[in-house]
Amino acid sequence: MKALIQVENLRKHFGEVVALDGISFSVDEGELFGFLGPNGAGKTTTIKILTGIARADSGKVMVAGFDCMKDPKSHQHLIGIVPDESNLYPELSGFDNLCFCGALYGMAGYQRKARAAELVEAFGLGEIAHRKFGTYSKGMKRRVTIAAALMHHPGILFLDEPTSGIDVASARKIRQLIADLHRGGVTIFLTTHYIEEAERLCERIAFIVEGKIVRIDSIKNLIESTGETKALLVSVDAATCDLIRGLQREFSEFRFTWVGDGKIRVEYQDEISIAALVNFMESQGAEVTEARRVLPSLEDVFVKVTGLDKDLMQKDDAKQ
C-alpha cells in the first residue's frame, strides 16, 4: 500500500509550550486515519502543518510526494481542508461559496457551477443552497464546508473535528458523508476528541496526548491488545441472589455479578460454554432471554493506554 502522508519526528513549539514533541506516522492511500486525543493535545497544530497553514520547527512532512517542509504550499492543489471553524463567507449563499472555492482552484465558470450543483445534490443541500451561508445552522454550515473542500476533486481530505459542537442528527449525517467519501476512495485524515466517532469511522488510529503519539494501530488490534477479561451478558427473567450463588458453585472458574435489570455479567479468561450456562440457569427455573458477548471498547483502550479519564475527552477547551 502506498503511503500518501509521511511524518517523521515532527516538532513544533509556541514559545515555551511544546505543541508537538517528535511525532511520526504515515497514512496509506485510501485509508481513513484517525488522530484521537483531548483538546489541546496537538491535533489541530498537526493538521495545520500537514495542510501548509503552519510551519513546523523541524522534522519531515511528505504529502503525495511533495516535501512540505521545503514548500508548505506545494501540495495544496491535491488536498481538501475542512477546518474546525468554517472559513466560508456569511454574506454569500452556499452555492456561491462553493463556486468561489472552485475559482480559487482555477476551475472555469461552467466547471465550478456544474460541480457546485453536483455537490448540492449529493449533500442534500437543495433547500438551502441559495440562502446566505450566515443563516445556516452549525450542522448545515459543516456540510457546506465539507462540500467546498471537495470542489476540485481532491484525493486527500483533512477534517479537523468535523462534528464538534453540532447537534446529534447533523453529526450523524456528517459521519455518513465521511464514510461515503472513504468508500469512494478518498484518503481521509480525521482529528477528533470523540472516541465513539473514531471507533465508528476509522481504520487506524493514533492516540496523541500532550504533543506525543502514545499508540498507533488498527481498531481491531487496539481492542484485542487490551488483555481485558472477557465477559458475557446474560438476560434472565429472574436474576436472584440464589441463582448467582448456584452459578458460582457450579462454574467456579467464572465470576458472576448481578448488574440489575435482569442481567448477569459473566467474566471469564479462556473459553466459555454458553449452552452449559443456559442449561444450568433454566434447570434452576430461570428463563434466559438473551446471551451476548461484551467486547472491550476503544474507550477502554484509550483509558488504559493514556491513563487519562475518558471524561477529559469531552471537554471543549481551547485547542492548540
Side-chain angles (χ1 to χ4, degrees), residues 68 73 132 152 196 222:
C68 303
K73 306 293 185 182
K132 288 186 178 181
H152 58 301
E196 182 183 328
L222 285 168

Side-chain angles (χ1 to χ4, degrees), residues 227-275:
E228 295 291 327
T229 301
K230 300 173 185 176
L232 190 72
L233 200 62
V234 183
S235 298
V236 297
D237 63 344
T240 65
C241 293
D242 286 342
L243 178 60
I244 297 293
R245 284 193 288 266
L247 283 164
Q248 199 65 73
R249 286 194 300 269
E250 186 72 15
F251 304 95
S252 58
E253 68 274 30
F254 306 144
R255 182 173 181 268
F256 298 89
T257 308
W258 181 41
V259 294
D261 196 27
K263 291 181 173 61
I264 298 173
R265 180 180 173 90
V266 188
E267 296 181 355
Y268 59 99
Q269 291 291 341
D270 298 317
E271 295 299 325
I272 189 169
S273 171
I274 297 177

Side-chain angles (χ1 to χ4, degrees), residues 3 22 29-30 33 98 142-143 147 171 179 190 195 214 278 288 307:
E29 184 175 9
F33 183 82
L98 296 180
R142 200 63 53 87
R143 284 156 63 191
L190 167 74
I195 297 175
V214 296
V278 170
V288 177

Side-chain angles (χ1 to χ4, degrees), residues 188-208:
I188 299 175
F189 182 93
L190 167 74
T191 74
T192 182
H193 64 275
Y194 296 130
I195 297 175
E196 182 183 328
E197 179 167 272
E199 185 170 9
R200 184 180 303 176
L201 289 174
C202 302
E203 296 170 299
R204 284 194 306 135
I205 287 177
F207 291 157
I208 181 169

